[in-house]
Amino acid sequence: MNKKLIALTFAASIFAACGSDSSSNASDSDDYKREFATSISTGETMFIGTMSLDHTDDLGKDFVEVGTRAGVVYYDNALFIADLDVGSISRYSLGENNKLGKVTAKLSLPGTWVNHIYFVNEEKAYLGGMLDSLIIINPKTMKKTGAIDLSKYKDKDALVVSPGTGVIVDGRLYVGFLQNVNDYATGNEAQVAIIDVKKDKVLAVAKDDRIAAVGSLDDSQNQAFTVLDGYIYCYSNASWGYAPGQVDGFLRIKVGETKFDEKYIWKVSEEVSIKDITAKGNFKYLSPATYPSENGYVYSFLNVMVDLQQAWTDMDSYHNNTCKPVQIDLAKKKIKALPIDYSSSWASYGKYVEDDGKVIFAVSTEKDGNAYFRYDPKTDKAKKIAESEQIPMWIVPLK
């Protein structure tokens, strides 16, 4: 089937349905509750809105067009949508049944990639991206209230120091520094700044040259940092393979401390092999993982392009089915392949652990098409629960 033709046809129809920035065209009869925010892609552009897994035939209603690259975060009964093509982040209200409402506030930073928002409370948050600074905002009004200058931490060969993945624990923001020499190469050394969120002050910058830069610019859900059993596990994807020689894997920092744990390192490409999936030594990387389940696992997609004898060549490469759903035990350094087919890179962000420990995966596969699966770790079985014409990407719980 011609995916480009489907993409272009759908793009035309969804644009007519969505309008520019509201859900006014949605059917008045849609009275079911939407449980998730999601982003979907046609391969040419992206749309972000709210959805119910019981009504995927309605995907395309209550959506806004956001160009080719965007991030979405839920907080305080609102969606924060970053349109990375234009350099803006907007707060959208959610109405009855979690229908996407109007833009209630917006911050524009033309030409700037702003994809990370770290919420301190309902009236204070930080914005990170390719900025050389952390911008302090009021998330209700989206007004800038201050900034933390980070330029002195920029490496001499970097164009910008980019605050990437981050997490706030016990009054401190732990945020990865990406020393961008271009849009893709993010630095050869792991660097994490520890910031006092009351004083807006950098307390220390933890550094470790055992792996490359931790965190990621495309991780709007800040999932490349995982808080588990008193540690913050920090993941490096080694610039997605665009910087040969960089080392990928996990390090960790004990909560409250300012240095990496010298006894812990997990080099994924070097150490991980999965029968019939991937070999040790072959470059592979994980998409940002889920938050931990009750039993301590996180879930992700392992991109094994090298094992499948594929590589990045152009934008169409993101349609290649090279991403295998996996379960990860960070403490024991184990990865298990799950019984769901390989997904495309476009659909390697959509996963969510439910309250009962089951996991939803949004996938775009050769065999199953664009679909949503529910995986049960107790039975090690997965079941398709919904289908979609569009390529599903982020899936974010509205709670």
Side-chain angles (χ1 to χ4, degrees):
M1 187 174 290
N2 189 320
K3 290 184 179 179
K4 280 191 174 180
L5 179 59
I6 292 174
L8 292 171
T9 302
F10 174 68
S13 64
I14 199 170
F15 181 76
C18 291
S20 59
D21 64 354
S22 78
S23 60
S24 60
N25 292 306
S27 168
D28 292 335
S29 63
D30 298 338
D31 56 357
Y32 56 84
K33 183 128 181 177
R34 292 145 174 81
E35 307 99 338
F36 297 96
T38 188
S39 58
I40 55 178
S41 171
T42 65
E44 309 295 327
T45 190
M46 287 176 60
F47 302 87
I48 293 178
T50 59
M51 66 169 288
S52 166
L53 285 171
D54 294 327
H55 297 272
T56 55
D57 54 325
D58 275 352
L59 270 174
K61 296 179 179 179
D62 312 325
F63 276 53
V64 294
E65 184 179 7
V66 286
T68 60
R69 302 173 296 183
V72 56
V73 179
Y74 173 76
Y75 184 79
D76 189 25
N77 197 40
L79 283 190
F80 295 80
I81 299 176
D83 189 331
L84 306 180
D85 286 344
V86 299
S88 70
I89 184 163
S90 303
R91 178 178 177 134
Y92 282 79
S93 64
L94 292 180
E96 186 180 0
N97 300 323
N98 283 333
K99 287 186 178 182
L100 187 64
K102 302 284 188 180
V103 175
T104 60
K106 180 177 181 178
L107 177 63
S108 294
L109 297 163
T112 304
W113 184 297
V114 187
N115 194 33
H116 295 269
I117 184 166
Y118 327 96
F119 294 98
V120 179
N121 54 47
E122 293 179 0
E123 295 187 351
K124 180 180 179 180
Y126 299 100
L127 283 181
M130 297 184 76
L131 294 168
D132 271 348
S133 66
L134 274 172
I135 295 176
I136 307 169
I137 65 167
N138 182 323
K140 285 190 177 295
T141 64
M142 297 306 293
K143 299 290 187 183
K144 180 178 175 180
T145 59
I148 302 175
D149 183 9
L150 303 174
S151 58
K152 70 179 182 180
Y153 300 103
K154 181 167 61 178
D155 289 351
K156 62 181 181 180
D157 58 345
L159 298 176
V160 62
V161 56
S162 306
T165 303
V167 62
I168 294 177
V169 186
D170 293 345
R172 292 181 173 185
L173 169 64
Y174 297 77
V175 59
F177 277 178
L178 306 174
Q179 301 285 351
N180 287 89
V181 297
N182 58 45
D183 287 346
Y184 299 102
T186 57
N188 297 324
E189 178 185 55
Q191 299 182 8
V192 173
I194 297 96
I195 295 170
D196 186 318
V197 301
K198 289 185 177 179
K199 299 179 180 179
D200 299 325
K201 179 182 178 181
V202 178
L203 302 176
V205 177
K207 296 184 178 183
D208 198 311
D209 62 5
R210 290 178 291 172
I211 65 173
V214 292
S216 179
L217 278 178
D218 62 355
D219 179 18
S220 66
Q221 294 297 308
N222 291 308
Q223 292 177 338
F225 282 16
T226 301
V227 183
L228 182 63
D229 295 333
Y231 288 95
I232 300 166
Y233 288 85
C234 310
Y235 176 66
S236 168
N237 61 18
S239 302
W240 306 275
Y242 287 110
Q246 286 190 350
V247 179
D248 65 284
F250 287 92
L251 298 174
R252 70 183 186 185
I253 300 174
K254 192 171 185 178
V255 172
E257 297 188 357
T258 58
K259 294 183 179 180
F260 286 101
D261 180 354
E262 295 181 356
K263 296 180 180 180
Y264 182 92
I265 182 172
W266 185 16
K267 297 179 179 180
V268 174
S269 288
E270 182 177 315
E271 299 177 29
V272 169
S273 65
I274 304 173
K275 185 178 179 181
D276 299 325
I277 302 290
T278 184
K280 288 184 179 180
N282 283 353
F283 178 72
K284 56 190 76 78
Y285 73 87
L286 293 158
S287 67
T290 61
Y291 298 106
S293 62
E294 286 187 358
N295 53 14
Y297 294 122
V298 294
Y299 294 85
S300 186
F301 290 83
L302 187 66
N303 197 326
V304 292
M305 294 183 298
V306 173
D307 296 274
L308 298 174
Q309 297 182 341
Q310 298 183 33
W312 298 125
T313 55
D314 53 35
M315 286 297 288
D316 280 345
S317 301
Y318 289 92
H319 292 293
N320 296 346
N321 301 118
T322 58
C323 299
K324 184 66 175 175
V326 292
Q327 179 192 74
I328 304 167
D329 187 322
L330 290 169
K332 295 180 179 179
K333 305 179 186 178
K334 292 183 178 181
I335 291 183
K336 172 184 174 180
L338 302 182
I340 301 173
D341 199 23
Y342 288 93
S343 180
S344 72
S345 295
W346 283 106
S348 64
Y349 294 90
K351 60 268 177 194
Y352 166 65
V353 179
E354 299 178 290
D355 292 340
D356 61 1
K358 296 176 183 177
V359 189
I360 294 173
F361 283 92
V363 298
S364 178
T365 74
E366 196 72 37
K367 182 176 69 175
D368 298 299
N370 300 324
Y372 297 86
F373 278 76
R374 179 175 279 116
Y375 169 74
D376 187 344
K378 293 181 180 179
T379 62
D380 193 30
K381 292 182 179 180
K383 180 181 179 181
K384 185 191 289 189
I385 55 176
E387 295 182 345
S388 168
E389 281 189 46
Q390 310 85 354
I391 301 170
M393 297 180 70
W394 290 108
I395 179 167
V396 180
L398 299 174
K399 64 178 183 177

